[in-house]
């Protein structure tokens, strides 16, 4: 196993786990509310997949940190400034189309990252990625098909999907921005250099969006500050009040 | 037979309300871990056959029930009519000789 600074490894694992935790919670907000029964169940399945991946990522993060914190502790007892998810996944659900657009943009990145992580020099990380990648292959196929179906659907659905893309596209860039943590992971062979994944992502996403008759907005501006914890959007704090209220109201409560 | 729900011929079609613009109904058949046959497990709505298979995967194989999925649009299933069950099925009730229970099976054959 490659030598790497354990604090940076902990940071990296929190980023992976917080992405799946926050998106998993967001998607679970649809439970019982989706437009049709079939989509409701499919979204709940996706949410559960993501929460399951969170348990693995944050479980390993807790071990690496070595302070006795469990995955549950990390998920339920940290406050907003300690979260390391990208801003994209904390954005509100909006309408069903906006949720599916957010899902597709994340899934396409997630698949590329997990595919590379399955070859990680760290065996534990490679094992988690190998398990997760099968779930995410399905996620991206489903969300991509839905983006095509709605984008190339009625004038109403097309208009809503274009609006969702315009809103969410500026959050894509953050998923590929690298910092010292990413550089250290890439150097140790633990994780891929994110910048090298961008071209394949653009081809994949561009192809689906073209088929969906949607236009990627102009402009290079990208929101950032989520994965570094510098500045989350206002939405994450609101989400955590829902997600964490039980542990805050009844500390240590168990099933 | 010509109703949109031909797989459920005993479900009366209501003509009072205008029909909602809904996805077609699909019947789902799953082949389990054991055995070769696909069994009918239920139905669902989907815009096309690919999404019908995906929805079937999400609705009916969440607990590792299957290794293969078939879907068919319900309107393509021709079904017998429940009102004809007398002439269709009752005649076979009195024909016990059609069951292979009148033969002595040699011991060497073992369990059949």
């Amino acid at each position: 196993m490659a030598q790497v600074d354990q604090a940076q490894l902990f940071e990296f694992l929190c980023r992976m786990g917080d992405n799946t935790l926050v998106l998993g919670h967001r998607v679970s907000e649809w439970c019982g509310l989706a437009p049709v029964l079939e989509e409701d169940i499919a979204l709940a399945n996706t949410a559960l997949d993501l929460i399951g991946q969170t348990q693995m990522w944050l479980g390993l993060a807790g071990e690496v940190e070595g302070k006795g914190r469990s995955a549950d502790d990390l998920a339920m007892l940290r406050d907003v400034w300690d979260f390391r998810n990208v801003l994209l996944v904390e954005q509100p659900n909006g309408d069903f189309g906006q949720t599916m657009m957010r899902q597709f943009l994340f899934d396409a990145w997630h698949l590329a990252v997990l595919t590379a992580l399955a070859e990680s020099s760290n065996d534990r990380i490679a094992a988690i990625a190998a398990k997760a990648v099968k779930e995410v292959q399905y996620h991206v196929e489903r969300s991509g098909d839905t983006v095509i179906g709605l984008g190339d659907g009625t004038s109403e659905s097309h208009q809503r999907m274009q609006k969702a893309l315009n809103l969410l596209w500026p959050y894509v860039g953050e998923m590929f921005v690298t910092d010292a943590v990413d550089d250290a992971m890439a150097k140790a062979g633990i994780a891929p250099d994110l910048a090298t994944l961008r071209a394949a992502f653009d081809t994949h996403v561009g192809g689906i969006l073209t088929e969906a008759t949607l236009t990627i907005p102009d402009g290079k501006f990208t929101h950032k500050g989520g994965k570094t914890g510098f500045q989350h959007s206002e939405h994450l704090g609101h989400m955590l009040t829902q997600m964490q209220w039980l542990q805050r109201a009844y500390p240590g409560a168990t099933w | 037979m010509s109703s949109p729900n031909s797989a459920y011929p005993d479900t009366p079609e209501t003509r009072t309300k205008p029909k909602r613009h809904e996805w077609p109904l699909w019947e789902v058949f799953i082949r389990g871990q054991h055995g070769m046959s696909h069994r009918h497990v239920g139905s669902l709505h989907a815009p096309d056959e690919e999404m019908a298979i995906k929805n079937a995967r999400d609705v009916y194989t969440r607990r590792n029930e299957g290794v293969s999925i078939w879907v068919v649009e319900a309107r393509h299933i021709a079904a017998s009519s429940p009102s004809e069950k007398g002439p269709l099925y009752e005649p076979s009730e009195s024909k016990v000789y059609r069951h292979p229970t009148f033969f002595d099976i040699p011991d060497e054959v073992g369990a059949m």
Side-chain angles (χ1 to χ4, degrees):
Chain A
M1 207 175 284
Q3 282 305 308
V4 67
D5 182 79
Q6 294 298 289
Q8 286 184 319
L9 183 57
F10 172 74
E11 184 84 4
F12 170 75
L13 292 166
C14 284
R15 290 175 180 183
M16 293 304 297
D18 288 345
N19 280 338
T20 52
L21 173 61
V22 172
L23 186 60
H25 186 83
R26 275 285 184 233
V27 174
S28 80
E29 291 172 357
W30 276 103
C31 194
L33 301 169
V36 294
L37 179 71
E38 289 81 356
E39 293 296 343
D40 201 289
I41 294 175
L43 283 168
N45 285 350
T46 302
L48 285 170
D49 285 347
L50 292 170
I51 299 299
Q53 294 172 18
T54 305
Q55 286 181 323
M56 298 189 284
W57 289 125
L58 294 186
L60 183 55
E63 283 181 48
V64 166
E65 187 191 37
K67 292 182 185 166
R69 287 204 283 183
S70 67
D72 283 337
D73 293 336
L74 290 169
M76 297 302 164
L77 302 179
R78 283 178 302 159
D79 215 332
V80 63
W81 45 79
D82 288 327
F83 274 74
R84 294 292 180 267
N85 57 283
V86 292
L87 297 175
L88 174 69
V89 296
E90 71 195 43
Q91 297 311 303
N93 287 338
D95 59 19
F96 178 72
Q98 188 177 317
T99 291
M100 295 312 292
M101 181 61 80
R102 183 187 62 199
Q103 190 69 35
F104 172 63
L105 295 173
F106 179 77
D107 288 343
W109 174 85
H110 202 199
L111 178 64
V113 170
L114 290 174
T115 305
L117 286 178
E119 310 292 325
S120 172
S121 64
N122 181 311
D123 295 340
R124 302 280 301 276
I125 290 176
I128 294 173
K131 185 165 188 291
V133 77
K134 288 185 198 141
E135 295 170 343
V136 172
Q137 271 164 351
Y138 179 76
H139 296 170
V140 73
E141 210 180 294
R142 185 174 187 103
S143 60
D145 277 359
T146 309
V147 165
I148 293 170
L150 293 174
D152 189 19
T154 65
S155 60
E156 171 78 14
S157 70
H158 173 86
Q159 179 262 107
R160 285 184 186 225
M161 291 310 276
Q162 185 63 55
K163 202 172 141 213
L165 181 60
N166 294 348
L167 177 74
L168 297 173
W169 187 257
Y171 293 93
V172 167
E174 188 192 9
M175 298 191 287
F176 296 94
V177 173
T178 56
D179 64 4
V181 173
D182 296 303
D183 294 343
M185 295 306 120
K187 197 158 164 250
I190 289 174
D193 176 359
L194 290 172
T196 62
L197 303 177
R198 184 68 202 251
F201 173 91
D202 283 338
T203 308
H204 176 194
V205 170
I208 298 282
L209 294 177
T210 303
E211 211 178 320
T213 70
L214 298 171
T215 313
I216 294 175
D218 291 332
K220 292 269 179 218
F221 173 74
T222 187
H223 297 284
K224 34 182 196 278
K227 71 181 253 185
T228 60
F230 175 71
Q231 193 168 43
H232 282 282
S233 62
E234 66 173 297
H235 308 294
L236 182 60
H238 291 283
M239 197 200 92
L240 293 186
T241 62
Q242 297 287 316
M243 192 181 85
Q244 297 179 332
W245 79 267
L246 196 140
Q247 281 301 324
R248 290 173 183 277
Y250 306 98
T254 55
W255 286 98
Chain B
M1 271 306 179
S2 61
S3 79
N5 270 349
S6 69
Y8 302 109
D10 44 346
T11 308
E13 199 186 345
T14 50
R15 294 190 187 280
T16 43
K17 271 192 286 184
K19 210 168 151 26
R20 278 183 64 193
H21 214 69
E22 279 197 12
W23 292 338
L25 184 71
W26 300 77
E27 300 299 330
V28 181
F29 301 80
I30 305 274
R31 188 184 140 192
Q33 312 280 347
H34 307 289
M36 293 296 289
S37 63
H38 288 70
R39 296 175 69 94
H40 183 239
V41 293
S43 55
L44 47 75
H45 289 92
D48 59 35
E49 58 197 37
E50 276 180 38
M51 283 312 288
I53 288 178
K54 287 197 171 71
N55 286 347
R57 181 261 193 200
D58 279 317
V59 176
Y60 292 112
T61 68
R62 305 177 71 224
R63 297 178 186 87
N64 207 21
E65 292 94 336
V67 293
S68 172
I69 298 172
W70 285 352
V71 293
V72 61
E73 240 191 283
R75 67 188 174 91
H76 292 307
I77 294 180
S80 63
S81 170
S83 63
E84 289 174 53
K85 71 173 186 242
L88 281 178
Y89 310 116
E90 280 169 24
S92 65
E93 281 174 9
S94 57
K95 301 187 169 72
V96 290
Y97 49 84
R98 288 182 182 170
H99 296 274
T101 50
F102 299 94
F103 304 94
D104 291 324
I105 298 169
D107 291 340
E108 304 87 76
V109 174
M112 285 191 74

